Amino acid sequence: MSSIERDVVVIGAGASGLTAATELTKAGLTVAVLEARDRVGGRLWTDDIDGATLEIGGQWVSPDQDALIETLADLGLETYSRYRDGINIYLGENGERRTFEGDIFPVAQSTEKEIVALIDRLDALVAEIDPERPWAHPRAKELDEISFRRWLETQTDDEEARKNIGMFIAGAMLTKPAHAFSALQALLMAASAGSFSNLVDADFILDKRVKGGLQQVPLLLAERLGDDVHLNAPVRTLRWDENGVTAIADGVEVHARFAILAVPPVLISRISYEPPLPRRQQQLHQHLSMGFVIKVHAVYETPFWRDLGYSGTAFSPYELVHEAYDNSYDGDPRGTLVGFVSDENADGVFELSPEERKQRILESLSHYYGEQALNPVVYYESDWGSEEWTRGAYAASFDMGGLARYGADLRKPVGPIHFSCSDMAGKGYQHVDGAIRVGRETAAAILAAVVPA
Ligand code: FDA
C-alpha cells in the first residue's frame, strides 16, 4: 500500500472529478484522483466493438451546454452534426407508420392541440423554476407530492398526448416510469435544459457529436493530470475529521486536506465513513436511485434509411424502442442506428435470453425502418445496469417527495468532504455539461476555503 499526501483527493475520474482536479491544479493545489475502474471517463466511454466505434455512454452536445462547449474548445476537440436530413417516423398505437417533419408528432388534430397546450403549460411552469434551486419554488412541495403521470392526468384526458409528453421526460430522460417520479423532478429535468420545448426538440438536445468520441474529454483531462490519476483504485474507506481526510483505496491511501466525492450519489454509501456521515446525508442518499435504459447500437453495411428519405429519427410511446436516431460515426461509410429501451421495457427484455432480446429489439427497429433493420453487421447493447461503478443509466433522480425534502442538502459539504456529479447539477442536470459545471463549482468552493478572499 503506497501512501501519498495531497491538498485534495478526488474520488472518481468521470468528467466531474477530472474537471474539479484540473481547476484545483491550475490554482496551484496538489491533487490525487482515485478511480475504481481500469479506465477514466465513468459514463463516458467510446470503444471499438467488432470494428465499429461506438459511444457506449454519453455522446450528444446541445447548444446551451456552454461549460461542455468551453471544455471541448480548451481541449481542441471538434464536433460534427448528427445526421438529420429527411423525414421522421412516428408509430401510432395500432403500429401504423406515419412520417413527419418538425417537432410535433403526426397525431389526430385534437391530440396535437392537447400536446401543444401541454408543452405551453410546461414551458410556463419551467420558466418559474430555478434549476439550481427547484425546492425554492413556492409550490415545490405540492409539485413533489404528485407523480408526473398523475399530474398529466389532471391536465388532459387525451391518453396519446399524455403518453407522448410523458415519454420525453420518463423513457427519454429520467428513464423511470412516469409514476415513479414527481412533477417537480420532471420540471427540474426540463429547466436544466432551458425549457420543456428544448427537451422535445431532438435537433436541439441531440445536436452535435465529438470527433473521436466524447470520452476524449476525460481522457485528455486525465492526460494533463498525468501520474496524479490512479486507476484500479476503488476507495473503500474514508476517514475524516474537521482537519482532513484519509482515503483508503486498493493499493493506495491518500492523506489530504479535502476530499471530493465525484461519484454518482447512489454509490456514496458504498464507501465506509469513519466516523459515519451525518444523519441527514445517510438519509438523503437513500432517496436517490438510478434510472435504467439500454442504449442499443445497430451498424448496417449502408445507412439504408437515408435512401428511403428517412432522417433516422423515430419515436413511438407504444414501441419497445421508444426513440431511435441515425448515429453513424463520423467518417464510417456504414450506417448506425441507435435506439433506447427504457425502464420497465428494459426490465422485461432482460428476462429474455440475449438472442431473444436482440431479436425483439431489432424487430422493434424494423417497425420503424422496415425489414432491412433486422440484419445489422454489428449489434451491441450498452448495459450500465450491470456496471458495478455506475449501476444504471443515465443518472440518478429523487423518489417522490425527495427533491423538495432533501434537494437543498445534496451538495452541502460535510466538514472536508465535498460532493460533485452531473446528477447533482441544476443546469446540465444528468448531462456532461452539468458534471463539468458542478466540478468547477466544487473546486471554487475548496479554493475559497483555502484562500480566504
Ligand atoms: P461518472 O459516473 O461519469 O463518474 C464517476 C466515476 O466515479 C466513475 O468513473 C466511477 O468508476 C468512479 N467511482 C465510483 N465509485 C468509486 C469509488 N468508490 N472509488 C473510486 N472511483 C469510484 N450526457 C450528455 O451530456 N449527452 C448524452 O448524450 C448522454 N447520453 C448518455 C447515455 C448513456 C448510456 C449514459 C450512461 C449517460 C449519458 N449521459 C449523457 C450522461 C453523462 O454521461 C453523465 O451525466 C456524465 O458522464 C456523468 O459524469 P460524472 O463525472 O458526474 O459521473
Side-chain angles (χ1 to χ4, degrees):
M1 168 82 75
S2 64
S3 176
I4 51 181
E5 300 223 352
R6 291 288 188 273
D7 293 317
V8 183
V9 57
V10 178
I11 301 166
S16 203
L18 290 168
T19 298
T22 302
E23 294 299 313
L24 292 166
T25 309
K26 272 194 222 158
L29 266 58
T30 57
V31 301
V33 182
L34 301 178
E35 167 54 48
R37 289 177 160 103
D38 61 1
R39 61 170 182 84
V40 299
R43 281 171 275 175
L44 296 179
W45 188 8
T46 311
D47 207 1
D48 190 295
I49 307 286
D50 299 332
T53 304
L54 302 180
E55 293 278 33
I56 292 167
Q59 63 169 73
W60 282 298
V61 184
S62 64
D64 61 324
Q65 296 180 333
D66 37 273
L68 172 56
I69 291 168
E70 274 167 29
T71 302
L72 294 176
D74 177 43
L75 296 172
L77 292 167
E78 288 175 40
T79 58
Y80 61 103
S81 291
R82 178 175 60 85
Y83 182 87
R84 63 190 73 167
D85 299 342
I87 46 177
N88 309 324
I89 302 166
Y90 176 81
L91 300 178
E93 187 172 10
N94 56 8
E96 184 199 339
R97 187 190 313 194
R98 301 176 214 149
T99 56
F100 70 105
E101 286 170 280
D103 307 330
I104 303 293
F105 299 153
V107 287
Q109 239 181 6
S110 54
T111 301
E112 178 175 332
K113 229 175 103 197
E114 287 300 308
I115 289 179
V116 171
L118 270 172
I119 293 176
D120 286 349
R121 228 167 297 149
L122 280 161
D123 273 342
L125 262 176
V126 168
E128 295 173 6
I129 299 272
D130 175 355
E132 306 304 328
R133 296 164 65 245
W135 47 85
H137 187 276
R139 289 173 53 214
K141 197 163 178 300
E142 173 197 333
L143 290 163
D144 213 25
E145 278 172 6
I146 183 168
S147 75
F148 189 48
R149 177 175 162 172
R150 182 73 199 107
W151 183 86
L152 286 168
E153 283 166 1
T154 64
Q155 303 297 308
T156 176
D157 291 333
D158 188 312
E159 202 190 339
E160 192 168 10
R162 289 200 304 260
K163 274 192 178 295
N164 276 309
I165 294 295
M167 177 179 74
F168 283 114
I169 300 267
M173 285 288 162
L174 296 175
T175 59
K176 292 178 173 179
H179 62 256
F181 58 87
S182 73
L184 186 67
Q185 185 74 61
L187 294 174
L188 164 60
M189 188 70 245
S192 74
S195 68
F196 190 81
S197 294
N198 284 349
L199 275 195
V200 299
D201 180 356
D203 288 348
F204 180 90
I205 208 82
L206 314 178
D207 183 27
K208 298 264 197 272
R209 296 184 59 185
V210 171
K211 290 192 177 180
L214 194 47
Q215 197 193 357
Q216 288 296 308
V217 168
L219 285 170
L220 293 174
L221 290 175
E223 198 176 291
R224 287 179 179 177
L225 291 163
D227 292 343
D228 287 327
V229 180
H230 302 255
L231 300 180
N232 300 305
V235 172
R236 311 286 183 186
T237 303
L238 193 64
R239 296 200 181 115
W240 64 284
D241 61 27
E242 284 307 316
N243 300 315
V245 299
T246 300
I248 301 162
D250 293 6
V252 58
E253 67 175 39
V254 184
H255 304 274
R257 174 72 191 85
F258 297 96
I260 298 178
L261 273 172
V263 305
V266 296
L267 296 183
I268 291 174
S269 56
R270 202 179 180 284
I271 296 171
S272 297
Y273 300 87
E274 297 175 8
L277 290 178
R279 175 192 309 107
R280 185 75 176 160
Q281 277 67 29
Q282 303 216 92
Q283 278 281 298
L284 84 83
H285 296 143
Q286 295 182 56
H287 290 269
L288 287 144
S289 58
M290 287 302 245
F292 186 38
V293 63
I294 314 171
K295 181 176 183 181
V296 179
H297 315 256
V299 183
Y300 301 87
E301 291 290 4
T302 62
F304 64 86
W305 52 93
R306 294 184 189 174
D307 298 336
L308 302 169
Y310 297 135
S311 63
T313 302
F315 297 97
S316 176
Y318 305 103
E319 273 295 324
L320 179 62
V321 177
H322 67 266
E323 59 182 321
Y325 306 92
D326 184 319
N327 206 31
S328 303
Y329 187 65
D330 184 48
D332 188 341
R334 295 177 298 179
T336 302
L337 291 173
V338 67
F340 296 89
V341 180
S342 217
D343 56 71
E344 288 167 327
N345 280 331
D347 296 344
V349 289
F350 271 117
E351 294 293 314
L352 306 173
S353 70
E355 263 318 303
E356 283 173 320
R357 184 166 63 249
K358 175 178 174 184
Q359 196 187 334
R360 285 281 311 282
I361 290 173
L362 289 175
E363 264 169 26
S364 183
L365 285 177
S366 77
H367 297 159
Y368 294 110
Y369 307 104
E371 297 245 311
Q372 276 173 287
L374 292 171
N375 298 306
V377 290
V378 177
Y379 175 87
Y380 183 78
E381 295 162 1
S382 301
D383 169 20
W384 290 87
S386 56
E387 287 278 326
E388 184 179 11
W389 302 107
T390 305
R391 302 189 177 190
Y394 307 109
S397 47
F398 274 107
D399 59 12
M400 296 284 301
L403 181 56
R405 185 174 172 195
Y406 297 111
D409 288 332
L410 185 54
R411 284 178 51 202
K412 225 175 237 174
V414 172
I417 306 171
H418 291 245
F419 302 93
S420 186
C421 183
S422 69
D423 310 19
M424 300 175 174
K427 191 166 186 296
Y429 169 54
Q430 300 214 353
H431 284 83
V432 184
D433 183 68
I436 292 172
R437 277 172 202 286
V438 179
R440 288 177 179 174
E441 286 165 20
T442 309
I446 289 178
L447 288 171
V450 286
V451 192

